Amino acid sequence: PAERAVFLRETQDKLYHPTAFYLAKVLVDTVMQCFFPILVVAISYPLIGLNGESAERVLWFYAIMAVSSNCGAAVGFMVSAAVPSVNLALSIAPGLVMPQLLLAGIFIKVEDLPQPFNALSYLMVARYAVQATVVNEFSCSEKTACNATVWRTSSPDQCGDSPCDFCCTSHEMMAAGGICPVLSCNHALTSLGMDDIWPMSETSNEETILFNMIALLILMCLFRLQGLNVLMCSYRRATTGSCLPCRGTAAVGPGPVRPPSAAPSPKAEVPV
């Protein structure tokens, strides 16, 4: 919105086409949105202690953050192209963020959402970002030495000798009835409800992450194209008064009546 007046003036002066302006903005913004997640991953990943079993887990996490950031920027571009002021855009933003939290399966499972909210969840960027992030975090190599029958009821004091991925504290075992419900990454995904999500692969967690990344890319392209559509609509409304791409034809009527004083005088005959 801050560049709206300059954009309209320059496009009406035919300095560039609105599509060229939008593609240039998207290109620069995409590079920036891919750069900032590098800082986020470099700082937050080791501080939080996320899955560092292999470099593949870190790269997947960065890819998820980069695509999610571009999806958010695409939604921001779409809103900015539709409103005339920054204040109005900021007032609309909370209405776009809250559905992402409520329909992404963070507080309520997607399967438990009533219609039409269950159907709307397929358009939520946060749904696929959360699913991909959780599956990536709890993707680890299988520990053959972890015997669930033995270590489910083992004392928490033996956690240092446990070959399993996770070990429960005394409070967690007491809350679960004297057993440790989560010993491996697969147990963790099951307890978080990530064993029955869409999209999901039946063969590997990497394919599940890839499917969710593809869904994020599709949403990003959809929001980018819709942002271009909204920008063109705003441009046409400012220039022609209508969002329709076709221009109205002017009515053809009789020409203006020439006043008598302006009527051409007949040529005088010159005698030969």
Side-chain angles (χ1 to χ4, degrees), residues 3 44 51 76 80 92 104 108 112 123 126 136 139 150 162 165 167-168 172 175 181 197 219 222 225 230 252-253:
E3 302 175 359
S44 63
N51 189 352
S80 299
I92 295 176
I108 305 174
D112 297 336
L123 297 176
N136 179 71
S139 295
V150 176
S162 175
D165 296 317
C167 186
C168 296
E172 292 171 343
I197 59 176
L219 287 179
L222 177 64
L225 291 176
V230 173
V252 178

Side-chain angles (χ1 to χ4, degrees), residues 175-210:
I179 62 172
C180 183
V182 177
L183 293 176
S184 64
C185 290
N186 290 332
H187 294 161
L189 291 175
T190 302
S191 65
L192 293 173
M194 291 294 164
D195 57 338
D196 188 19
I197 59 176
W198 187 92
M200 181 180 180
S201 173
E202 299 294 338
T203 57
S204 65
N205 290 339
E206 279 71 20
E207 289 187 0
T208 300
I209 300 172
L210 178 61

Side-chain angles (χ1 to χ4, degrees), residues 12 47 54 82 104 184-185 188 255 262:
Q12 290 174 2
L47 289 180
S54 63
S184 64
C185 290

Side-chain angles (χ1 to χ4, degrees), residues 41 44-62 132-143 165-166 184-186 188-189 205-206 209:
V41 174
S44 63
Y45 208 91
L47 289 180
I48 299 175
L50 298 177
N51 189 352
E53 188 178 73
S54 63
E56 185 180 4
R57 304 272 71 83
V58 182
L59 293 177
W60 271 121
F61 183 78
Y62 163 74
T133 303
V134 173
V135 173
N136 179 71
E137 175 62 23
F138 293 103
S139 295
C140 49
S141 58
E142 184 178 355
K143 308 297 190 302
D165 296 317
F166 302 99
S184 64
C185 290
N186 290 332
L189 291 175
N205 290 339
E206 279 71 20
I209 300 172

Side-chain angles (χ1 to χ4, degrees), residues 48-271:
I48 299 175
L50 298 177
N51 189 352
E53 188 178 73
S54 63
E56 185 180 4
R57 304 272 71 83
V58 182
L59 293 177
W60 271 121
F61 183 78
Y62 163 74
I64 297 167
M65 294 297 104
V67 178
S68 301
S69 179
N70 277 279
C71 288
V75 176
F77 268 56
M78 185 172 59
V79 175
S80 299
V83 298
S85 65
V86 178
N87 293 331
L88 184 57
L90 294 177
S91 63
I92 295 176
L96 299 175
V97 174
M98 291 306 298
Q100 298 285 339
L101 300 177
L102 297 176
L103 304 180
I106 300 175
F107 303 106
I108 305 174
K109 290 185 177 181
V110 176
E111 294 78 11
D112 297 336
L113 291 173
Q115 295 294 350
F117 301 108
N118 187 287
L120 289 175
S121 66
Y122 288 94
L123 297 176
M124 298 297 114
V125 175
R127 170 179 177 171
Y128 305 105
V130 169
Q131 291 177 172
T133 303
V134 173
V135 173
N136 179 71
E137 175 62 23
F138 293 103
S139 295
C140 49
S141 58
E142 184 178 355
K143 308 297 190 302
T144 56
C146 179
N147 190 342
T149 306
V150 176
W151 291 101
R152 279 190 186 277
T153 57
S154 62
S155 174
D157 298 333
Q158 300 178 355
C159 285
D161 301 328
S162 175
C164 302
D165 296 317
F166 302 99
C167 186
C168 296
T169 64
S170 57
H171 297 286
E172 292 171 343
M173 294 184 64
M174 186 181 301
I179 62 172
C180 183
V182 177
L183 293 176
S184 64
C185 290
N186 290 332
H187 294 161
L189 291 175
T190 302
S191 65
L192 293 173
M194 291 294 164
D195 57 338
D196 188 19
I197 59 176
W198 187 92
M200 181 180 180
S201 173
E202 299 294 338
T203 57
S204 65
N205 290 339
E206 279 71 20
E207 289 187 0
T208 300
I209 300 172
L210 178 61
F211 293 161
N212 283 273
M213 286 287 294
I214 293 174
L216 287 174
L217 289 172
I218 293 174
L219 287 179
M220 182 188 72
C221 295
L222 177 64
F223 293 145
R224 292 291 193 191
L225 291 176
Q226 187 61 26
L228 177 59
N229 186 28
V230 173
L231 181 66
M232 292 300 298
C233 179
S234 300
Y235 167 73
R236 295 190 190 103
R237 186 186 293 113
T239 54
T240 64
S242 174
C243 281
L244 298 178
C246 56
R247 296 180 179 179
T249 58
V252 178
V257 178
R258 189 186 300 269
S261 59
S265 58
K267 294 182 179 181
E269 295 182 358
V270 180

Side-chain angles (χ1 to χ4, degrees), residues 10-75:
E10 293 180 348
T11 50
Q12 290 174 2
D13 291 340
K14 306 301 181 181
L15 296 180
Y16 48 79
H17 195 270
T19 304
F21 171 82
Y22 183 78
L23 292 179
K25 293 285 290 185
V26 167
L27 180 61
V28 174
D29 184 72
T30 300
V31 175
M32 296 302 296
Q33 297 299 331
C34 291
F35 171 73
F36 288 113
I38 298 177
L39 302 178
V40 174
V41 174
I43 296 173
S44 63
Y45 208 91
L47 289 180
I48 299 175
L50 298 177
N51 189 352
E53 188 178 73
S54 63
E56 185 180 4
R57 304 272 71 83
V58 182
L59 293 177
W60 271 121
F61 183 78
Y62 163 74
I64 297 167
M65 294 297 104
V67 178
S68 301
S69 179
N70 277 279
C71 288
V75 176

